[in-house]
Amino acid sequence: MSEDQDGWPRARWRRSAKTVIAAAAMTAVAAVLAIGVTGGMAAASERASLAAPAVSSVAAGYEHTCAIPTDGTLWCWGGNFTGALGDGTTEGRTTPVRIGDATTWARIDAGTSDTCAIRTDGTLWCWGGNHRGQLGDGTTTNRSAPVRVGTATTWASVSAGDSHTCATRTDGTLWCWGSNRSAQLGVGASVYTATTPVQVGTATTWASVATGFAHTCATRTDGTLWCWGDSSSGQLGVGVLSYRETPTQVGTVTTWARVTAGYTFTCATRADGTMWCWGDNGYGQLGVSGTHQTTPVQVGNTTTWSRIDAGFTAACASRTDGSLWCWGNNMTGQLGDGTTTNRSTPTRVGTATTWTGGLALSYHSCAVHTDGGLWCWGNNMSSQLGDGTTTQRTTPAQVILPG
């Protein structure tokens, strides 16, 4: 799918009434601290981190954010037009609000206008936009509070895309549901929409899955990587600019470790710490110069990449030394480098060496420090940065979850 002249994906990847505008004047909020490079600012950020509950999982949708602290509670904030926050309303929230009273939330992911999360008992829950059945509850009705997906208690991981969702189970099976207009469910083209999970093939060796706008990629326990769905920009990595209705292996490499899917591009790391990207490169989101790539291309020669997450047209990744790097579209400051300049090579975010897991990226970005502190930056049009304002930020600022 093409993009508008202002760089925003059309139709389902944005609410049509929204445009990128200058945010309202900034309100002083003592609970939010920008990353500092001086000793005094660093000390302040450390004090703020100590005051906030440690975060174990974070997810970024188009205009909302959700996070799970180590105590198993769930908090969301930002735009809520479709009920994506899960608080039982469709009212936006400028600061984190707790979702329900459960303390067993474990993993979470956000799509464009919906959210899905797994609890420690292996159950899967989804809420928000459901126009293509992406919540998996058998309907196409939006939900403003979490609804359980089936009765299975063996869900292991989940990935929410624009209008489809995929998840793995502990038995190694893979399941997808929602829109199948571009064969992104991996079950052939005969199904147009699936409102409940359908199994992808019969393999029992699936390890992880990542959903993009209309394509899906997944790794297996043998280190192979498979992709399917739309490849009009080469995002499947199999050397074609067409569709694949069922999982197709990406090359012959058996050392793939992590994979992430953006709007029309894909990136992945290998066991040797190298990073590879392919697909659309209109904003430099592949981390290299040039046009689109239909097969994986290595990003630089670094062998210390550890975790990666792709947004709509940008990506961020952490290294084993704790540094954080971002590249691609930077129109809302989502790269966190203090500018709104697009980058075609990984650009370091500040000087901190304490970034760890929990990356999340949309037109805003969030990441977690080793102390569990959560930091967000970029687009804040719907208060998705959780700082009580609608002020866009081009550098990370800490989000304080209520203790």
Side-chain angles (χ1 to χ4, degrees):
M1 181 173 288
S2 62
E3 296 187 352
D4 288 344
Q5 293 179 351
D6 60 5
W8 291 84
R10 287 179 181 165
R12 292 173 291 173
W13 277 58
R14 68 173 180 177
R15 190 188 305 169
S16 59
K18 297 288 188 179
T19 56
V20 182
I21 59 173
M26 181 171 63
T27 302
V29 179
V32 181
L33 300 172
I35 282 184
V37 294
T38 65
M41 293 183 74
S45 68
E46 290 173 2
R47 289 193 298 272
S49 295
L50 291 174
V55 170
S56 61
S57 183
V58 61
Y62 172 60
E63 56 182 7
H64 75 287
T65 310
C66 292
I68 300 174
T70 52
D71 62 6
T73 57
L74 174 61
W75 301 77
C76 295
W77 57 95
N80 197 26
F81 179 74
T82 61
L85 302 189
D87 66 349
T89 76
T90 54
E91 298 177 9
R93 305 291 182 176
T94 62
T95 56
V97 58
R98 184 171 175 182
I99 308 306
D101 56 6
T103 58
T104 55
W105 297 104
R107 304 182 66 176
I108 193 166
D109 195 50
T112 301
S113 60
D114 63 305
T115 312
C116 290
I118 297 172
R119 291 185 180 175
T120 54
D121 61 3
T123 58
L124 175 62
W125 303 72
C126 295
W127 57 97
N130 196 29
H131 61 291
R132 289 291 183 267
Q134 60 263 47
L135 300 188
D137 68 345
T139 76
T140 55
T141 302
N142 292 353
R143 306 292 185 180
S144 62
V147 291
R148 186 171 172 179
V149 180
T151 60
T153 58
T154 55
W155 296 105
S157 69
V158 63
S159 179
D162 173 62
S163 56
H164 78 291
T165 307
C166 293
T168 61
R169 291 185 182 174
T170 54
D171 62 3
T173 57
L174 175 63
W175 302 73
C176 294
W177 56 97
S179 175
N180 196 40
R181 181 178 181 180
S182 299
Q184 59 262 53
L185 300 188
V187 296
S190 60
V191 176
Y192 187 79
T193 299
T195 61
T196 57
V198 290
Q199 187 173 351
V200 181
T202 59
T204 58
T205 55
W206 295 106
S208 68
V209 64
T211 53
F213 172 68
H215 77 289
T216 308
C217 292
T219 60
R220 289 186 178 175
T221 54
D222 62 2
T224 57
L225 176 62
W226 303 71
C227 294
W228 57 95
D230 180 25
S231 194
S232 56
S233 295
Q235 59 265 47
L236 299 189
V238 296
V240 302
L241 294 173
S242 56
Y243 295 84
R244 288 292 180 266
E245 295 181 2
T246 56
T248 303
Q249 187 172 348
V250 180
T252 59
V253 173
T254 59
T255 57
W256 294 106
R258 293 177 181 271
V259 63
T260 183
Y263 179 60
T264 52
F265 76 105
T266 309
C267 292
T269 58
R270 291 181 181 174
D272 61 3
T274 59
M275 180 168 63
W276 304 70
C277 294
W278 56 96
D280 181 33
N281 199 35
Y283 295 95
Q285 60 264 48
L286 300 188
V288 299
S289 59
T291 59
H292 68 272
Q293 301 287 332
T294 62
T295 57
V297 57
Q298 186 173 354
V299 182
N301 55 16
T302 300
T303 58
T304 57
W305 296 106
S306 59
R307 185 182 178 92
I308 186 171
D309 189 75
F312 289 83
T313 49
C316 290
S318 58
R319 292 183 181 175
T320 54
D321 64 0
S323 60
L324 179 64
W325 304 72
C326 297
W327 60 96
N329 188 347
N330 198 27
M331 64 186 298
T332 59
Q334 63 263 48
L335 302 189
D337 66 350
T339 76
T340 54
T341 302
N342 297 343
R343 307 291 183 180
S344 61
T345 57
T347 301
R348 188 166 179 179
V349 180
T351 59
T353 57
T354 54
W355 297 105
T356 181
L359 289 176
L361 189 65
S362 177
Y363 276 105
H364 68 289
S365 307
C366 294
V368 178
H369 275 199
T370 53
D371 61 6
L374 176 63
W375 301 72
C376 296
W377 59 96
N379 183 30
N380 199 27
M381 182 171 56
S382 298
S383 298
Q384 52 266 59
L385 302 188
D387 63 1
T389 79
T390 54
T391 302
Q392 178 176 300
R393 297 184 182 277
T394 60
T395 56
Q398 190 170 9
V399 180
I400 303 299
L401 300 182

